[in-house]
Amino acid sequence: LSPIVELNVGGEMYTTTLSTLKKHPGSKLAEMFTGQPKLRTDSEGRFFIDRPGTYFKYILEYLRSNQVPTQCIQDVYKEALFYDIEPLIKQLEDSPQIFGELMARKQFLARVPNYSENIELMIRIARAEAVASRRSSVIVCVVRTEEDAARCQDALNSLDMDKKSVVKFGPWKAAPSISDLLDCIQMDVEAKGYKISFQPHVAEKGFRFKSHDFFYKFLFTWW
């Protein structure tokens, strides 16, 4: 291999040195250029990597000068994971953005039973009700404690008898509140490309307490 390497990363062109690419021998990026290159070439003979080219410049900046990026942190972190550049991964995980996501928010959500499954269930219900409609709604019950779960059981039974689908979150043992969990739900559904908002679910006859303590209506807007 020539000591000067030309790369085509997702349509973005880069020129660097072989030693820069192999700076961290245990990384996937170094392995790509160790021995016989394990990459295809484009029509101009440049090595092709099928990844987002926009963020590769931050990877190169780190390899060249140990400069940890301060922009596009989440996206650069994904690329660092793909290229398996362990020192960069660790430094990015110390940044407020990644630390907050990995150590705070995700650790909290890991304590909410069936959180990811419930997000998918909400989306399936909303899509099923979207026929010939601009909006569809999903009723969500959020209970932080076992006592709250017992208090709202009658209301859940009433909704079930009315054949209304309800997605139940909780209870959980962690500091974040119900409003924190509602924000997480909205954030994660929006991350999947949906336009969503929520509001307290208006109490109906048969509810024995203020339903807005535990029940919320999530609105999906389709157009």
Side-chain angles (χ1 to χ4, degrees):
L1 277 176
S2 167
I4 306 300
V5 180
E6 292 189 348
L7 301 172
N8 177 346
V9 185
E12 298 279 344
M13 310 307 164
Y14 293 94
T15 302
T16 187
T17 64
L18 186 60
S19 60
T20 295
L21 296 172
K22 297 172 66 174
K23 183 174 181 179
H24 297 285
S27 69
K28 182 177 178 180
L29 184 62
E31 290 178 359
M32 290 178 181
F33 296 92
T34 299
Q36 187 68 25
K38 305 169 181 63
L39 295 169
R40 294 171 293 173
T41 56
D42 65 12
S43 60
E44 299 295 325
R46 292 172 292 226
F47 291 109
F48 179 73
I49 301 177
D50 193 14
R51 295 295 294 180
T54 303
Y55 311 115
F56 190 73
K57 65 181 179 181
Y58 300 109
I59 300 294
L60 274 184
E61 284 178 7
Y62 178 77
L63 295 174
R64 288 166 173 162
S65 60
N66 290 325
Q67 180 178 340
V68 179
T70 57
Q71 303 177 40
C72 309
I73 300 295
Q74 298 279 359
D75 295 303
V76 176
Y77 179 67
K78 293 177 184 176
E79 297 309 297
L81 289 172
F82 174 79
Y83 295 114
D84 196 20
I85 304 173
E86 192 65 29
L88 178 56
I89 292 170
K90 289 182 178 179
Q91 290 185 68
L92 288 173
E93 286 178 348
D94 284 336
S95 69
Q97 299 93 322
I98 303 298
F99 179 85
E101 176 68 15
L102 293 180
M103 300 305 297
R105 200 177 84 90
K106 284 193 174 179
Q107 288 296 319
F108 158 53
L109 295 178
R111 302 184 184 189
V112 181
N114 304 314
Y115 177 80
S116 297
E117 293 85 348
N118 283 341
I119 293 292
E120 296 300 327
L121 178 58
M122 285 179 61
I123 292 171
R124 289 199 300 272
I125 293 172
R127 291 175 70 94
E129 296 182 357
V131 178
S133 300
R134 183 173 186 180
R135 298 179 181 86
S136 54
S137 64
V138 179
I139 299 175
V140 168
C141 174
V142 183
V143 290
R144 183 176 177 182
T145 66
E146 295 288 353
E147 291 77 10
D148 290 343
R151 288 178 60 198
C152 70
Q153 191 57 52
D154 286 346
L156 284 170
N157 293 338
S158 176
L159 289 167
D160 185 56
M161 290 179 62
D162 292 339
K163 300 187 182 303
K164 293 184 177 180
S165 299
V166 181
V167 181
K168 180 185 174 186
F169 288 84
W172 63 86
K173 294 182 179 179
S177 65
I178 286 177
S179 63
D180 293 325
L181 182 65
L182 292 170
D183 288 340
C184 287
I185 294 171
Q186 181 173 13
M187 184 186 308
D188 289 329
V189 174
E190 287 180 339
K192 295 179 180 292
Y194 295 91
K195 185 177 180 181
I196 190 174
S197 62
F198 66 88
Q199 61 192 39
H201 178 60
V202 178
E204 300 177 4
K205 292 181 180 179
F207 277 53
R208 299 181 182 179
F209 57 88
K210 291 186 292 184
S211 63
H212 62 258
D213 289 341
F214 306 107
F215 290 87
Y216 298 84
K217 181 180 292 185
F218 278 79
L219 298 171
F220 288 71
T221 301
W222 303 104
W223 50 274

